[in-house]
Amino acid sequence: MTRSARARDVLSGARWWVVPLTAVVGTATLRVFGPWRGWEPGLWAVAATTVTVLWHMSVLGRIALDSALFHEVPRWDYYAYAEVELGEVPARDRHAVMRRSRERVEEFTRIHNLVHVSLGIPAPTPHGYAEASALQAEGRRHVSIGHRWLNRGSRHLPVILEHELAHLRRRDVLRRLFRRAAGSGLAVAAAWGEPLPTAAAVCGALLIAGVAAGWWSELACDWAARRSCGSGGGRGNVARADRGRP
């Protein structure tokens, strides 16, 4: 294993919140016990934390996307043509719905002038079985759809796919990246410049705001999927959803 591969493994095993949590605790400790005073050290801590979170999450995104393209896309291509049963859905029905899903992704790519959007199936692990997620990094985009949604037939897969395409249309991956970086910087600023109880309250408020923003994003994508696949759904509704913003 090369040095860069070992570094990617270490980074992929680290959760994004490790960096801001460490920065907040370290900043509060330095403020109480360290010799530094004034705003200048605090500004350096805020800038360093924000940049580090941006870099760390960008690396995690690239690692996840590279892994998905390498492992998940061939699995999708296999199940799209293989004459094997998958759950309760006959192979012929699965082939049809997967073909329509591919056509829908190609249409989405053309409408939004994207280079490429890939489809993949995660490994059937306890987490990957029910996974449905959208990835974006360096202009590349990918949608992961777990076995669970293929097992349930044509009624579920189009809705799940439209939900994840809505995330790509709204650029939610990039929004989450910058939201977490900005929130981390604000948390470090509060840890340096405010009394510890106030700083703890600010960190709690930022955490709640982040969770609320995530829920709002999911609800907006649910609404976009409903507009595309709800009553009277069809290509007309899909086109309206592509032109508008949920």
Side-chain angles (χ1 to χ4, degrees), residues 8-114:
R8 287 196 300 269
D9 287 345
V10 171
L11 286 168
S12 63
R15 302 300 180 183
W16 77 269
W17 46 262
V18 172
V19 173
L21 179 62
T22 303
V24 169
V25 173
T27 301
T29 302
L30 289 176
R31 177 193 168 193
V32 174
F33 300 104
W36 300 282
R37 295 294 182 269
W39 272 104
E40 185 175 353
L43 291 176
W44 278 107
V46 170
T49 301
T50 304
V51 171
T52 303
V53 170
L54 280 173
W55 173 80
H56 188 212
M57 289 194 63
S58 298
V59 171
L60 292 180
R62 289 197 299 271
I63 291 173
L65 187 55
D66 290 341
S67 176
L69 294 176
F70 185 78
H71 296 287
E72 296 182 8
V73 173
R75 195 175 290 117
W76 177 280
D77 294 337
Y78 172 77
Y79 283 114
Y81 299 102
E83 294 294 334
V84 296
E85 298 299 327
L86 185 62
E88 60 190 38
V89 181
R92 184 172 58 182
D93 294 344
R94 185 185 71 246
H95 295 166
V97 71
M98 293 181 74
R99 183 177 64 252
R100 290 195 297 270
S101 298
R102 174 70 70 183
E103 292 171 353
R104 168 61 185 137
V105 169
E106 292 173 353
E107 178 188 40
F108 177 88
T109 304
R110 290 193 304 270
I111 290 174
H112 296 282
N113 297 317
L114 303 177

Side-chain angles (χ1 to χ4, degrees), residues 69 73 76-77 96-120 133-135 140-145 157-166 168-169 235 238 242:
L69 294 176
V73 173
W76 177 280
D77 294 337
V97 71
M98 293 181 74
R99 183 177 64 252
R100 290 195 297 270
S101 298
R102 174 70 70 183
E103 292 171 353
R104 168 61 185 137
V105 169
E106 292 173 353
E107 178 188 40
F108 177 88
T109 304
R110 290 193 304 270
I111 290 174
H112 296 282
N113 297 317
L114 303 177
V115 176
H116 181 67
V117 179
S118 57
L119 278 168
S133 61
L135 302 173
R140 300 174 297 168
R141 295 164 177 84
H142 176 79
V143 175
S144 298
I145 297 179
L157 183 56
V159 179
I160 298 300
L161 178 61
E162 290 298 332
H163 178 100
E164 299 308 326
L165 292 179
L168 294 179
R169 183 171 61 249
R235 297 186 65 87
V238 167
D242 275 329

Side-chain angles (χ1 to χ4, degrees), residues 151-234:
N151 291 350
R152 295 191 173 191
S154 59
R155 292 182 297 111
H156 295 83
L157 183 56
V159 179
I160 298 300
L161 178 61
E162 290 298 332
H163 178 100
E164 299 308 326
L165 292 179
H167 279 303
L168 294 179
R169 183 171 61 249
R170 288 166 44 89
R171 297 179 175 86
D172 281 335
V173 176
L174 297 179
R175 289 184 181 187
R176 182 172 64 245
L177 171 66
F178 288 105
R179 184 171 66 241
R180 288 177 173 177
S184 301
L186 290 174
V188 169
W192 182 263
E194 298 293 337
L196 292 183
T198 305
V202 170
C203 292
L206 289 170
L207 179 61
I208 293 173
V211 172
W215 275 104
W216 175 254
S217 171
E218 294 300 322
L219 290 173
C221 293
D222 283 343
W223 178 248
R226 181 179 180 275
R227 286 196 299 169
S228 298
C229 303
S231 59

